[in-house]
Amino acid sequence: MGLPSLAAQPLSGVLHVAGNPEMAAVVARWSAAFQKQHPGVRVEPHLTGSDTGMAALYTGKADLALVGRAPTLSELQAFEWIFHYKPAQVEVATGSLDRPGQSPAPVLFVHRGNPLAQLTLAQLDAIFGTEHRLAPADIRTWGQLGLTGEWADKPLHLYAPDAMSGTGRFFRHVVLNDSRMMNWTQLTEFSDTDVPRAATHDAGRQILAALAQDRYGLAVASLGFVQDGVRPVALDGIPATRDSLVSRQYPLTRAVTACFNRKAGAPADPLVAGFLRYILSPAGQQEVAGASAYLPLTAELAAAQVRRLD
């Protein structure tokens, strides 16, 4: 698997890689190592965004799109409208634990004075949604989560990223089965500060600042914005840690996905497949941790992704 076969079959050509600009450092290291093995290859990165990366793929301007999330339904439909089949996908890394912009895992937070110990995915479905697939009914008060005394009749005040942001879409996908029928009455959304030609990734900071002032709040943010007055709670009994993300035990772990054009049943383009095999090799995964806050895949998960290239 991986490097020995690559070394036996030299490759050549230009590989156009589009996608998330937060991956620039690791893509540079992957490219340098891969080009040492295959001097006839030139990797050209165009990392301007996950959305533009997918557009570049289905318009033929990129051979590979690296996105810090799964492709959206509209992106899949756009690709399928052009090619009449869906793009191929493999996971190439696990999202970060706490680095804004690098697919950090969404974490649930409460006010520091809140006695709640943990939540479940079914409870999140009941709290944030209205069309339930995991829960039998709405949860709208702290008493419905088992809190007593002063908490029993207090409504939940929800704080979360914009439902159409990357984090918001991921949260809706896992928790609400992509439903947009959310508990809008109790929910306040936050967007990243709009700065021309710059990525702020600061919605989480705004969210936890609001939660710190609201004893009855429940928030979705990342550990990168932890501040006084708030604390994270475990989900399905599992806290968000580096180990629980790498092992994929934490229910809201995110993945970095590589999308490429391959018709079902047909072989992948040799240059694309070769580059992905390097990325998924032990050496390629070591570069993930060395160049970014993204987390490497386990050996078992990497091997499973390689099999998807065959």
Side-chain angles (χ1 to χ4, degrees):
M1 180 187 95
L3 293 179
S5 62
L6 290 177
Q9 300 175 13
L11 299 168
S12 62
V14 179
L15 181 68
H16 298 277
V17 180
N20 187 355
E22 296 288 342
M23 298 198 70
V26 69
V27 168
R29 292 173 72 155
W30 282 337
S31 300
F34 187 68
Q35 288 169 161
K36 282 185 179 179
Q37 296 174 11
H38 302 280
V41 170
R42 186 171 79 252
V43 179
E44 292 191 353
H46 303 277
L47 304 174
T48 58
S50 293
D51 294 350
T52 57
M54 286 301 297
L57 181 67
Y58 61 71
T59 58
K61 295 179 181 178
D63 304 301
L64 191 65
L66 298 173
V67 294
R69 52 169 175 76
T72 66
L73 178 61
S74 61
E75 289 167 343
L76 293 174
Q77 290 174 334
F79 187 99
E80 193 169 9
W81 186 80
I82 295 171
F83 296 103
H84 306 294
Y85 53 87
K86 290 181 172 60
Q89 303 177 46
V90 297
E91 294 180 8
V92 295
T94 295
S96 72
L97 174 63
D98 57 8
R99 182 71 62 83
Q102 295 191 7
S103 303
V107 174
L108 280 299
F109 290 85
V110 294
H111 189 275
R112 187 166 293 280
N114 189 316
L116 188 75
Q118 64 175 326
L119 289 162
T120 67
L121 277 178
Q123 287 172 328
L124 292 185
D125 180 26
I127 291 167
F128 284 89
T130 61
E131 298 178 317
H132 304 305
R133 67 185 177 98
L134 299 176
D138 292 346
I139 291 177
R140 298 294 183 257
T141 68
W142 286 104
Q144 291 174 288
L145 290 171
L147 273 60
T148 59
E150 66 159 300
W151 299 88
D153 63 349
K154 295 299 188 296
L156 292 151
H157 301 159
L158 307 178
Y159 303 101
D162 184 335
M164 296 308 295
S165 67
T167 301
R169 289 194 300 254
F170 172 76
F171 184 82
R172 288 191 297 105
H173 174 69
V174 176
V175 176
L176 304 178
N177 197 30
D178 296 316
S179 174
R180 298 186 186 185
M181 301 295 289
M182 301 183 72
N183 178 11
W184 299 114
T185 302
Q186 293 173 279
L187 175 62
T188 301
E189 296 178 283
F190 290 79
S191 299
D192 293 332
T193 302
D194 187 13
V195 177
R197 296 182 296 279
T200 59
H201 302 304
D202 69 341
R205 176 187 56 75
Q206 300 175 57
I207 288 168
L208 293 188
L211 176 63
Q213 303 301 315
D214 185 355
R215 185 171 173 80
Y216 303 110
L218 175 66
V220 181
S222 77
L223 290 172
F225 294 106
V226 172
Q227 55 186 273
D228 291 341
V230 306
R231 63 176 181 82
V233 296
L235 185 56
D236 282 348
I238 301 170
T241 66
R242 187 185 190 281
D243 288 345
S244 69
L245 266 62
V246 170
S247 65
R248 301 295 177 91
Q249 291 180 304
Y250 181 66
L252 293 178
T253 301
R254 298 169 74 178
V256 178
T257 306
C259 298
F260 55 101
N261 191 336
R262 182 180 68 177
K263 188 174 183 179
D269 176 86
L271 186 52
V272 171
F275 189 57
L276 288 172
R277 286 179 185 277
Y278 169 72
I279 288 173
L280 294 167
S281 73
Q285 288 299 296
Q286 188 173 354
E287 297 288 10
V288 172
S292 68
Y294 293 106
L295 300 173
L297 303 177
T298 63
E300 294 77 14
L301 185 52
Q305 300 306 302
V306 169
R307 288 194 291 272
R308 299 179 70 176
L309 299 172
D310 296 332

